[in-house]
Amino acid sequence: MMKYQHSFYDQSACSLLPGKIVCVGRNYLDHIKELNNPVPSEPILFIKPSTSLQSISDEILVPDYSNNCHHEVELSVLIGQELCRATVEEVEPAIVGYGIALDLTLRDVQEKLKAQGKPWERAKAFDGSCPLSPFVSKEVFPDPQDIELELKVNGESRQQGNSQLMMTKVLDLIAHISQFFTLLPGDVVLTGTPAGVSRLQSGDQVELILGKKYQYQTVVK
Ligand code: ZN
């Protein structure tokens, strides 16, 4: 039985069953530069399975095959209606809400896989690799391209960004994703991370702040 259930900030439950999580790599220029990656000509997409989901308040467990688990703080989007080869205009009505998420990434494992031309799943799609906050209904954020994200580790700010710095905007990104992968109610889209990714260590206290208002905390085991 799945232990993760979608929830809303102002209500405890959500009727949408957790589905897949579609993510985009390299969507903020400052983050591309910090990892010396080339600027992509179109969004780099990958998928995390529903088994990667956990609640933001659950302890972060780093798999024993990695020594370098990075935090990537990201704006998350909960989808409430099916989107298949959607136009940009069709995307907004299908969005239910926004949240803040971690795209946990085993950077050492990912580097090795990338160098060998192999897929990234072991580095990004492992159990618990996608902690999600409760979602805030979309009316709270009328402009998805003006949402502040911040991540602090042990009280120190590590990542700070605003969705206005995204290279592919939220609605365009979701329309693009739906050309390849049908999005179903309960699916989640992660929209990329701003600069400042770094290694998490055992005992770290992690704080995530969405829109300067919604704060969540977790800890690394
Ligand atoms: Zn990411």
Side-chain angles (χ1 to χ4, degrees):
M1 192 171 140
M2 190 173 295
K3 64 178 179 173
Y4 176 84
Q5 200 183 0
H6 286 315
S7 61
F8 276 97
Y9 182 78
D10 47 2
Q11 307 156 234
S12 56
C14 172
S15 58
L16 296 170
L17 284 174
K20 62 184 172 295
I21 306 104
V22 186
C23 310
V24 56
R26 303 179 205 164
N27 202 25
Y28 287 78
L29 200 56
D30 55 351
H31 171 61
I32 295 171
K33 287 183 177 159
E34 76 179 342
L35 293 184
N36 290 317
N37 279 319
V39 176
S41 56
E42 60 174 356
I44 297 175
L45 305 179
F46 59 96
I47 291 179
K48 291 177 184 253
S50 58
T51 45
S52 68
L53 289 172
Q54 67 176 30
S55 297
I56 197 71
S57 52
D58 291 347
E59 218 174 34
I60 292 172
L61 286 171
V62 178
D64 59 8
Y65 58 89
S66 172
N67 284 314
N68 192 3
C69 179
H70 273 193
H71 53 77
E72 294 191 358
V73 71
E74 312 206 359
L75 178 70
S76 58
V77 185
L78 180 59
I79 304 297
Q81 289 169 28
E82 180 172 323
L83 289 170
C84 179
R85 296 186 206 105
T87 62
V88 175
E89 292 69 34
E90 287 166 333
V91 171
E92 200 284 331
I95 292 175
V96 181
Y98 297 99
I100 194 165
L102 283 173
D103 168 19
L104 294 175
T105 302
L106 308 176
R107 198 68 72 195
D108 48 353
V109 177
Q110 186 194 31
E111 291 304 324
K112 212 176 282 178
L113 292 169
K114 271 167 71 178
Q116 297 171 351
K118 290 180 178 169
W120 294 350
E121 277 84 349
R122 287 184 206 186
K124 276 187 173 282
F126 57 92
D127 289 357
S129 61
C130 192
L132 287 186
S133 76
F135 290 90
V136 177
S137 65
K138 66 178 173 184
E139 288 75 25
V140 175
F141 296 111
D143 180 3
Q145 297 314 141
D146 187 18
I147 302 178
E148 300 259 358
L149 301 172
E150 186 173 9
L151 178 138
K152 295 179 182 177
V153 178
N154 302 323
E156 177 195 315
S157 187
R158 294 261 185 99
Q159 290 192 269
Q160 243 182 325
N162 186 300
S163 59
Q164 66 196 10
L165 302 173
M166 286 180 190
M167 295 179 29
T168 305
K169 308 297 181 198
V170 173
L171 302 185
D172 297 311
L173 175 65
I174 294 173
H176 179 76
I177 287 170
S178 80
Q179 307 305 307
F180 309 98
F181 313 117
T182 296
L183 293 167
L184 297 174
D187 285 350
V188 173
V189 172
L190 297 195
T191 55
T193 194
V197 300
S198 66
R199 183 182 173 189
L200 289 169
Q201 314 225 42
S202 179
D204 278 348
Q205 303 279 335
V206 181
E207 191 180 345
L208 297 96
I209 307 159
L210 172 68
K212 290 189 167 165
K213 185 174 170 196
Y214 300 94
Q215 286 175 287
Y216 308 94
Q217 278 173 348
T218 183
V219 67
V220 184
K221 192 181 177 179

